[in-house]
Amino acid sequence: MKVWVHFVRAPIRVVLISRKKSTVRLKRQMVRVKIALAQEKTETKEMLVIYRKYTQGNASEAEIKMANRQFLDVLKGLGLGVFAVLPFAPITIPVMIKVGRWVGVDIIPSSFSSAKLPRQQQEKTREKS
């Protein structure tokens, strides 16, 4: 009711404020994606350096395990890329993520899912309280 009263009084202002809010939200999401992609890029470069060291016989077991984990993340990203080119990608990608969680398979690369961990941890601590 309160929004409706404001909309009747100043409809242009309400629309402008709503548009500004949507723009800010979109910019924040794009910055999160940019940060996650930059993290994936650096991790992938490190993975390639470790594999190069492995071919020369200089890599340790811990480095190989880290490189293999990153390789799995690259494969997860490629798997999501297949769904990104489908016609209904905004619908199929969230559905696949939800089905993956339901089945117990993580299909999101670690750099994208780690951005959500603090929120999930906050929700868990709220539920415990």
Side-chain angles (χ1 to χ4, degrees):
M1 184 71 177
K2 197 173 193 181
V3 174
W4 182 253
V5 171
H6 289 295
F7 186 74
V8 172
R9 288 186 183 169
I12 296 172
R13 182 175 178 203
V14 170
V15 169
L16 291 176
I17 290 172
S18 299
R19 186 179 297 167
K20 182 73 172 176
K21 187 186 270 187
S22 299
T23 306
V24 168
R25 188 178 311 132
L26 179 67
K27 285 181 181 179
R28 283 184 188 152
Q29 291 173 351
M30 294 310 247
V31 167
R32 285 184 194 151
V33 169
K34 179 182 174 184
I35 290 169
L37 287 174
Q39 181 181 351
E40 259 322 292
K41 177 183 167 186
T42 56
E43 289 175 355
T44 303
K45 284 184 179 181
E46 290 174 7
M47 175 193 73
L48 293 174
V49 168
I50 291 170
Y51 282 149
R52 188 178 308 130
K53 285 170 54 175
Y54 176 74
T55 59
Q56 297 169 353
N58 298 331
S60 67
E61 282 293 319
E63 289 177 333
I64 294 297
K65 285 182 181 181
M66 186 185 77
N68 288 340
R69 257 189 266 121
Q70 178 57 29
F71 184 66
L72 287 175
D73 278 349
V74 170
L75 292 178
K76 288 177 185 178
L78 291 174
L80 282 177
V82 169
F83 292 110
V85 297
L86 292 176
F88 297 105
I91 297 170
T92 57
I93 292 176
V95 168
M96 292 306 297
I97 292 171
K98 190 72 167 180
V99 169
R101 286 184 185 158
W102 183 59
V103 173
V105 178
D106 187 24
I107 63 171
I108 301 175
S110 63
S111 61
F112 290 97
S113 61
S114 66
K116 295 182 181 181
L117 281 179
R119 249 190 218 166
Q120 291 173 352
Q121 289 173 351
Q122 288 175 359
E123 291 174 2
K124 287 180 182 178
T125 55
R126 287 181 191 165
E127 290 174 0
K128 290 179 183 177
S129 310

